[in-house]
């Protein structure tokens, strides 16, 4: 086991060329399943592990992509990261993952290290979009739901249309006193679009709009939402800008004694697999996570190959109706329509 | 920007030694906040990015740890990965993350690449523990909740005690016809312990034990669980081996018409932050995720420094009582006690 095993030893045992062994290791070019198995068996038998670092220095490519998200601990970013990783792996890349949350210092340090040629490119879905490193970085970057710099393409779902559809689903079911909850931190562009859509819908009806802040800390968020019910006991519907907040509101409503959906309708946002499994009754706006990941990987590959890319790709969302919404009124009972 | 900036340029501008710049880049040794800031400001001004790959070839260290989990898309492994990443970053490591799920081919290929000196060590919480690569790998490895090899330490929580406590919480609240749901795939050692504990408790009471399988696909899992209610309409409690399954059972019970908790008590397992936010009413057994991550990082660091480690670290769990359990009967109404 201490004898230095070389690529040619693997090639000889497998009965293939050195180039083929190299292609199996890097999963590049056409390879039959039989060839892959022969080479892998030979590598296992010889206990051969290619020196990836030396290879990287030679090719100036790492075949590693950096992914920076707020955290992989929440359903949305956990599922997004899983989708990105799977798709990148199929194209021969591994992923360095970092959760930067509300820690711009960590994100800066992380970025500085990654920019030292440790990755071939970056996919960014962070809260700290204003870091100077994003202005200077000269490697391929794609952003998800964030604007970083004019030449960095953005993949997003249609937050404005999704929020409008959520509000209209509530109104079609008789809601009049709709309250919105949202992360109001200034860097949260996608939530701003959701809030703007809510305010536009309310204004079109001549109704007042109230947005209650969702905060980083769940306990503080719950306290913030509790004020909705004391300050606006007339509330008959809530549009929450994410499903975690919608769940908190649902629990608060039960605790306070509002019947859902007869007295209070609730609709969330995101519609992840985890939320749909844990809280299948929740109405929500489903973001096309898998498609967003696919587009981000596509754009990054284009950047890596120095092909032109669109500056923005916006994907449609879908309302998932659930038991936290009332049934639609039958036609004759509908309020007057245009 | 095309002029080749070197380490000494940064050192000169920051007014520190080259060694200090190097220590700031790698966050090694004692550094004052002021020094870090001076060096980072100089690096930003010069747009300097150290060539990490060349450094790695020189030191034979990558400062990268590989994490292999089934997927970061579920609350348990998403939160575990986030905890590991944060703790490793504080110690100067970045993480390569891979979700191998039920794809041993991907895990094998991934492992073969990582073993080519692309990482300094590995933390493994995978379903594919029987891969031959784990037998041959000669770099530091720590496993979470999985047995890989006699000299690879395992961090786990006390699955047997947790499952026993879950069953006893149900029994103390009057349950007699308790059914268990579990992932019965042969490599799932931690769930085996939960099932064994359930069966031991039932046997001690002279009651029959029934375990219904939880499957990879949520739709198939729901169909499996539906059979509980047709085959055992007398069921008055369910102990689910994870919270996602408990949520499915809760939704099924509502759909079929079992009142929870008066007719049917439900307790899950894992108790992640996400579950506690989305489904705060669920009773569950809380695994000490943060502490498990801390121990895994501690053991890996010991391995990296070639210090001796325990072969196993088992951490205590805690039952979280919730609204899916009935209140404890008052003392005089209690069944006979020892």
């Amino acid at each position: 086991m201490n004898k230095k095993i070389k690529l040619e030893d693997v090639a000889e045992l497998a009965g293939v060329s050195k180039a083929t062994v190299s292609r199996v290791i890097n999963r590049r070019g056409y390879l039959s399943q039989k060839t892959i198995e022969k080479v892998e068996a030979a590598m296992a038998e010889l206990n051969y592990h290619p020196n990836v670092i030396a290879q990287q220095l030679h090719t100036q490519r790492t075949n590693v992509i950096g992914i920076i998200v707020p955290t992989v601990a929440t359903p949305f970013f956990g599922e997004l990261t899983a989708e990105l990783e799977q798709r990148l792996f199929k194209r021969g890349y591994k992923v360095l993952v970092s959760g930067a949350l509300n820690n711009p210092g960590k994100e800066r340090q992380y970025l500085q290290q990654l920019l030292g040629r440790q990755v071939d490119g970056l996919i960014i879905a962070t809260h700290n979009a204003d870091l100077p490193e994003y202005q200077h970085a000269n490697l391929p970057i794609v952003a998800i739901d964030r604007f970083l710099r004019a030449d960095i393409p953005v993949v997003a779902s249609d937050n404005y249309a999704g929020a409008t559809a959520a509000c209209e689903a509530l109104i079609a079911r008789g809601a009049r006193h709709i309250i919105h909850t949202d992360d109001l931190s200034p860097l949260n562009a996608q939530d701003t679009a959701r809030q703007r859509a809510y305010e536009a819908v309310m204004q079109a009806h001549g109704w007042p709009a109230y947005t209650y802040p969702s905060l980083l800390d769940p306990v503080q968020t719950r306290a913030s939402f509790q004020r909705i019910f004391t300050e606006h006991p007339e509330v008959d519907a809530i549009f929450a800008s994410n499903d975690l907040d919608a769940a908190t509101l649902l629990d608060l409503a039960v605790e306070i004694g509002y019947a859902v959906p007869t007295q209070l309708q609730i609709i969330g946002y995101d519609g992840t697999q985890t939320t749909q499994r844990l809280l299948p009754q929740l109405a929500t706006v489903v973001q096309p996570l898998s498609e967003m990941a696919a587009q981000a990987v596509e754009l990054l590959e284009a950047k890596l190959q120095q092909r032109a890319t669109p500056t923005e790709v916006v994907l449609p969302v879908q309302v998932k109706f659930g038991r936290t919404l009332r049934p639609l009124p039958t036609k004759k009972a509908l309020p007057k329509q245009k």
Side-chain angles (χ1 to χ4, degrees), chain A:
Chain A
M1 201 155 124
N2 283 324
K3 186 197 151 218
K4 177 87 183 144
I5 302 294
K6 291 194 181 130
L7 194 77
E8 43 255 57
D9 301 321
V10 176
E12 195 184 320
L13 183 63
V16 299
S17 69
K18 277 166 61 180
T20 300
V21 175
S22 173
R23 284 192 296 121
V24 170
I25 291 165
N26 296 300
R27 288 295 194 277
R28 293 271 173 208
Y30 171 76
L31 293 163
S32 73
Q33 192 53 37
K34 208 177 148 188
T35 305
I36 294 173
E37 279 167 15
K38 265 197 306 194
V39 172
E40 288 191 340
M43 283 169 63
E45 193 175 329
L46 296 171
N47 200 22
Y48 171 78
H49 304 298
N51 187 332
V52 178
I53 295 174
Q55 243 173 40
Q56 288 171 1
L57 199 65
H58 179 65
T59 60
Q60 291 289 316
R61 289 196 61 168
T62 61
N63 295 325
V64 174
I65 301 297
I67 297 179
I68 305 184
V69 288
T71 171
V72 292
T74 59
F76 184 82
F77 291 110
E79 293 181 21
L80 180 67
T81 302
E83 288 275 353
L84 289 170
E85 193 267 330
Q86 272 177 44
R87 288 164 194 281
L88 287 166
F89 188 77
K90 280 192 192 140
R91 292 177 185 234
Y93 297 104
K94 279 179 280 300
V95 297
L96 273 176
V97 175
S98 175
L101 211 58
N102 55 340
N103 189 343
K106 178 182 174 189
E107 184 160 342
R108 247 190 119 166
Q109 190 190 336
Y110 195 80
L111 262 174
Q112 284 166 357
Q113 294 177 9
L114 290 197
L115 295 176
R117 300 190 222 162
Q118 201 161 17
V119 293
D120 293 343
L122 286 169
I123 296 179
I124 305 292
T126 163
H127 285 163
N128 307 304
D130 58 342
L131 292 178
E133 279 71 13
Y134 289 119
Q135 299 312 311
H136 303 307
N138 57 357
L139 84 175
I141 304 183
V142 170
I144 295 182
D145 237 356
R146 308 278 182 272
F147 177 83
L148 296 175
R149 204 173 72 194
D151 61 340
I152 293 178
V154 180
V155 176
S157 67
D158 195 339
N159 291 296
Y160 196 91
T164 305
C167 295
E168 281 171 356
L170 295 170
I171 293 169
R173 287 160 180 78
R176 294 297 173 264
H177 304 284
I178 307 172
I179 289 197
H180 180 50
T181 65
D182 215 324
D183 172 1
L184 298 175
S185 67
L187 292 170
N188 224 353
Q190 83 284 19
D191 280 14
T192 306
R194 294 176 201 162
Q195 194 197 0
R196 279 188 289 113
Y198 157 74
E199 289 183 344
V201 169
M202 298 305 274
Q203 198 179 356
H205 283 83
W207 299 333
Y210 304 100
T211 300
Y212 279 73
S214 164
L215 304 154
L216 260 177
D217 174 57
V219 176
Q220 287 180 9
T221 299
R222 199 176 173 96
S224 163
F225 293 172
Q226 223 145 8
R227 293 208 312 276
I228 294 173
F229 300 96
T230 50
E231 292 170 9
H232 294 282
E234 76 282 8
V235 60
D236 61 11
I238 302 178
F239 162 43
S241 74
N242 69 68
D243 291 335
L244 292 170
D245 287 346
T248 302
L249 289 158
L250 188 57
D251 191 58
L252 264 176
V254 171
E255 185 181 291
I256 295 171
Y258 281 76
V260 176
T262 45
Q263 274 181 292
L264 180 73
Q265 301 187 78
I266 297 177
I267 188 164
Y269 209 102
D270 288 341
T272 59
Q273 299 286 320
T274 295
T275 304
Q276 296 197 30
R277 280 182 77 176
L278 285 172
L279 211 55
Q281 71 266 38
L282 183 68
T284 187
V285 179
V286 182
Q287 294 205 62
L289 255 176
S290 173
E291 186 59 25
M292 287 167 79
Q295 288 284 346
V297 169
E298 203 62 64
L299 289 177
L300 189 66
E301 192 76 273
K303 281 258 169 200
L304 286 163
Q305 294 167 6
Q306 303 184 307
R307 285 187 276 124
T309 63
T311 56
E312 198 177 4
V313 174
V314 180
L315 298 165
V317 296
Q318 206 161 8
V319 175
K320 180 196 166 243
F321 302 96
R323 300 199 303 268
T324 57
L325 292 184
R326 295 208 287 257
L328 265 184
T330 52
K331 276 217 166 117
K332 59 176 181 179
L334 268 183
K336 66 177 179 342
Q337 295 230 321
K338 281 163 201 168

